[in-house]
Amino acid sequence: MVGVGVGKGWRFSLFSTNVALLSRPNKHFCWRSTTPFQQRKPISWSVVCGLMLFGLGLISLLTGHMASNLEWYSNRLVHRTFYSRLDGNYRAPIDVWKSQYSKYYYGCSERGRHFAPAVRERMSNGYLLIATSGGLNQQRTGITDAVVVARILNATLVVPELDHHSYWKDDSDFINIFDVDWFISYLAKDVTIVKRVPNKVMRSMEKPPYTMRVPRKSDPDYYLDQVLPILLRRQVVQLTKFDYRLASNLDDELQKLRCRVNYHALIFTKPIQELGQRLVMRMQKMAHRFIAVHLRFEPDMLAFSGCYFGGGAKERRELGEIRKRWTTLPDLSADGERKRGKCPLTPHEVGLMLRALGFANNTYLYVASGEIYGGEETMQPLKDLFPNIYTKEMLADEELKPFLPFSSRLAAIDYVVCDESDVFVTNNNGNMAKIIAGRRRYMGHKRTIRPNAKKLSTLFMGRHEMEWDTFARKVKACQRGFMGEPDEMRPGRGEFHEYPYSCVCERPYLDELSKDVYRSPRHVAINLTAKA
């Protein structure tokens, strides 16, 4: 077996060094002339600045432009670059169906030249068993991170086990949802994966596999210090409740491995994929383009949130009973949670947001959801705003019956349709919302709208006190930065599964004014400023 030293060596290869930035003292000074015949009194900085401001004001008056437009002139002089167009202060109207900048971005997760090949099974440090936790998309994050952890430990990964005991009680196994053979073969160069621990290894073990649960967001050092020594001693280690157990920020090569797993290796089984694609085609046959709305408005979600949705004593009693299932949840203030933006939007609020953003009444919606709390009564206000609403149950009858007993397989079908939709909208920031948002960014920043719930909550409470045009204008203003534009993604922001910044590359950009082609659009503004 490969010794501890090999594993420890990862600490130095995981974190690549960045190019050092050379900085110079930023000294401000005024140029002034002196003569050998007369020593002039130094001119104070305040006087010079005052004269400069006076001169600028005079020029502005003469030319008919205010000094506040100097930024516009400077941008024209250095060619208004691609990245400056993406500045958050740029207030051009947003196309609600598609970002005009999406064509400049694409997913890139190829392994680097120095990323060593996978360690063979007989040379690895042992076998890593993973027991995932939660629903389909929560388990998806666990599977993705399990591959990365196996790579860190130089371990052989056993195909992860799916959670059969969560709220949804789905007994589906990995092979029922994902193409297991593709999963193993696609990642063969990165990590060795097997379907089960070999019998001879199990027979040779003196004790059962060692079981442990690592803390949330553990970094690679934790796995090397705490898990690897046990793996070397016991040969087989099982990690339980494995969801979000690996740090979000890792070395770029490991982040790219995450992307290869999530966006390429994890594909659904043929029956799931085919039915999902049929639903997409049926939506596209009815409408040239459509919105997929993920409505996470099931009773368990509402109870967990601790929010109140206007259902009176009955709602408080019903959700209170469900909430008792989580004994460790703190007491929450419903009003406080809403003000903090922690409450999922109701179906009606989702409809109001979409109409305010500019989507017409005849827009087609595909609603991906489980059991909606309140049923038809809760959904009716959304249907009044958007009559063309369809669900998987409406689009597929007999075809859907084999999947009905399995919530994760139904969620996988919704996943396919949401991924293929022209616009994806969510009413919360849960696991499915994050996973699909990250995938759509990786696939070229397809329009993805997530609510700015903190600001929208105030607008929804006061919408009856303002005209519709005022309400719509304010919704558009507070949704800037939440529309899936490329400039919303910043390295290190949020969960990597939602913002896969290491796996998104930029295409060369042709400047419209100068007709010059720049190699790196992200750095155009910096380069031009340096040249100036």
Side-chain angles (χ1 to χ4, degrees):
M1 289 188 178
V2 180
V4 180
V6 175
K8 294 281 186 179
W10 260 98
R11 296 178 183 173
F12 303 100
S13 62
L14 292 181
F15 306 100
S16 57
T17 56
N18 295 323
V19 179
L21 299 176
L22 300 177
S23 60
R24 296 180 180 178
N26 188 15
K27 296 181 179 179
H28 298 278
F29 59 92
C30 293
W31 179 88
R32 61 180 184 269
S33 63
T34 57
T35 68
F37 305 104
Q38 182 180 4
Q39 185 174 0
R40 297 186 180 182
K41 185 178 180 179
I43 302 175
S44 69
W45 172 246
S46 59
V47 173
V48 174
C49 290
L51 290 172
M52 290 175 65
L53 289 173
F54 176 79
L56 287 173
L58 185 61
I59 292 172
S60 298
L61 290 174
L62 292 174
T63 59
H65 296 283
M66 298 301 292
S68 60
N69 284 334
L70 286 175
E71 180 184 359
W72 183 88
Y73 284 112
S74 65
N75 284 334
R76 296 285 294 191
L77 289 172
V78 298
H79 317 301
R80 186 161 181 83
T81 63
F82 174 74
Y83 201 59
S84 67
R85 292 173 191 266
L86 301 185
D87 191 318
N89 295 323
Y90 186 56
R91 290 291 183 251
I94 293 178
D95 182 347
V96 292
W97 286 102
K98 184 179 181 181
S99 169
Q100 61 179 312
Y101 304 115
S102 61
K103 59 186 176 183
Y104 298 112
Y105 289 82
Y106 64 96
C108 52
S109 58
E110 298 81 5
R111 63 183 60 80
R113 290 180 298 174
H114 303 294
F115 198 64
V119 176
R120 294 182 180 180
E121 181 179 355
R122 61 187 178 85
M123 297 295 293
S124 72
N125 287 329
Y127 292 88
L128 184 66
L129 300 172
I130 295 291
T132 60
S133 178
L136 174 67
N137 293 284
Q138 188 173 343
Q139 293 182 89
R140 192 182 185 106
T141 64
I143 296 167
T144 299
D145 288 348
V147 174
V148 179
V149 169
R151 172 78 191 196
I152 292 170
L153 297 174
N154 279 335
T156 296
L157 177 66
V158 180
V159 171
E161 298 178 6
L162 300 190
D163 187 354
H164 298 162
H165 306 289
S166 65
Y167 175 84
W168 296 273
K169 299 292 187 296
D170 189 329
D171 61 0
S172 298
D173 291 321
F174 191 104
I175 196 171
N176 303 127
I177 298 177
F178 301 107
D179 187 332
V180 65
D181 293 324
W182 173 262
F183 178 72
I184 293 172
S185 62
Y186 187 88
L187 295 170
K189 293 182 179 179
D190 297 308
V191 173
T192 298
I193 305 174
V194 296
K195 294 182 179 179
R196 62 185 64 84
V197 179
N199 291 332
K200 65 177 183 179
V201 174
M202 295 296 291
R203 288 195 297 266
S204 67
M205 294 171 56
E206 297 178 357
K207 299 178 181 179
Y210 187 88
T211 300
M212 62 185 297
R213 185 186 303 180
V214 299
R216 287 289 182 96
K217 306 297 179 65
S218 296
D219 58 27
D221 274 351
Y222 181 90
Y223 287 94
L224 294 171
D225 292 336
Q226 304 298 324
V227 181
L228 181 59
I230 300 173
L231 181 66
L232 291 171
R233 288 200 311 269
R234 301 290 292 270
Q235 290 187 281
V236 182
V237 168
Q238 182 180 46
L239 304 181
T240 62
K241 289 285 184 180
F242 202 80
D243 58 334
Y244 298 100
R245 302 289 167 175
L246 183 61
S248 184
N249 296 322
L250 300 173
D251 169 79
D252 275 355
E253 283 297 333
L254 292 184
Q255 301 288 50
K256 288 180 180 293
L257 175 56
R258 265 176 166 160
C259 295
R260 290 198 291 278
V261 179
N262 203 356
Y263 308 133
H264 297 283
L266 280 175
I267 65 173
F268 295 119
T269 58
K270 189 175 180 180
I272 291 174
Q273 196 67 33
E274 287 182 345
L275 181 54
Q277 290 297 336
R278 283 200 295 272
L279 300 190
V280 171
M281 288 188 289
R282 288 167 191 172
M283 288 298 298
Q284 292 173 339
K285 187 176 181 179
M286 292 185 290
H288 173 61
R289 51 193 181 184
F290 71 95
I291 300 174
V293 181
H294 178 230
L295 274 183
R296 189 72 167 89
F297 209 71
E298 296 92 342
D300 68 299
M301 171 67 173
L302 306 189
F304 188 86
S305 72
C307 300
Y308 174 67
F309 300 92
K314 179 183 177 184
E315 177 190 313
R316 297 183 191 277
R317 182 179 66 257
E318 291 175 344
L319 297 186
E321 286 299 315
I322 298 174
R323 191 172 172 80
K324 291 178 182 178
R325 298 175 184 175
W326 297 284
T327 56
T328 58
L329 288 181
D331 291 331
L332 298 173
S333 164
D335 291 337
E337 291 302 288
R338 187 165 295 278
K339 289 178 181 178
R340 292 173 57 213
K342 299 298 182 181
C343 298
L345 269 59
T346 67
H348 187 205
E349 290 171 339
V350 171
L352 290 172
M353 177 185 72
L354 293 177
R355 290 298 301 274
L357 288 173
F359 290 103
N361 173 260
N362 60 356
T363 301
Y364 278 70
L365 268 59
Y366 175 89
V367 175
S369 70
E371 173 195 359
I372 296 293
Y373 181 72
E376 190 62 28
E377 183 180 354
T378 301
M379 287 295 294
Q380 191 57 49
L382 176 59
K383 292 180 178 179
D384 292 339
L385 292 168
F386 293 95
N388 298 314
I389 287 182
Y390 293 87
T391 64
K392 56 183 174 293
E393 291 80 7
M394 297 168 66
L395 295 171
D397 186 10
E398 292 297 322
E399 301 161 290
L400 201 61
K401 284 186 177 179
F403 301 93
L404 291 178
F406 310 101
S407 60
S408 290
R409 300 183 210 185
L410 292 174
I413 293 169
D414 278 337
Y415 183 105
V416 174
V417 183
C418 290
D419 181 42
E420 294 289 341
S421 65
D422 298 277
V423 175
F424 173 67
V425 180
T426 177
N427 73 325
N428 72 102
N429 200 31
N431 292 303
M432 183 169 176
K434 291 177 181 177
I435 289 290
I436 293 185
R439 178 177 176 83
R440 289 173 71 89
R441 288 185 173 99
Y442 180 82
M443 294 299 178
H445 283 85
K446 293 189 288 185
R447 176 66 75 207
T448 301
I449 300 174
R450 55 195 178 93
N452 183 355
K454 187 174 183 179
K455 291 186 177 180
L456 286 176
S457 63
T458 304
L459 288 178
F460 289 139
M461 286 189 291
R463 71 179 185 277
H464 298 299
E465 301 173 4
M466 64 184 83
E467 297 291 333
W468 174 258
D469 289 344
T470 302
F471 174 74
R473 186 178 68 253
K474 290 185 176 183
V475 169
K476 290 175 184 176
C478 74
Q479 277 300 117
R480 285 190 175 273
F482 293 81
M483 298 291 288
E485 289 289 327
D487 64 327
E488 295 172 13
M489 190 175 69
R490 292 289 183 264
R493 174 183 174 182
E495 296 289 342
F496 183 77
H497 299 288
E498 183 180 6
Y499 295 95
Y501 52 88
S502 298
C503 306
V504 176
C505 294
E506 303 168 19
R507 303 183 192 279
Y509 171 70
L510 178 64
D511 188 271
E512 296 173 0
L513 296 176
S514 68
K515 305 303 180 185
D516 291 335
V517 176
Y518 298 99
R519 183 177 299 276
S520 176
R522 187 178 292 277
H523 298 111
V524 169
I526 299 174
N527 294 338
L528 289 174
T529 302
K531 291 179 182 178

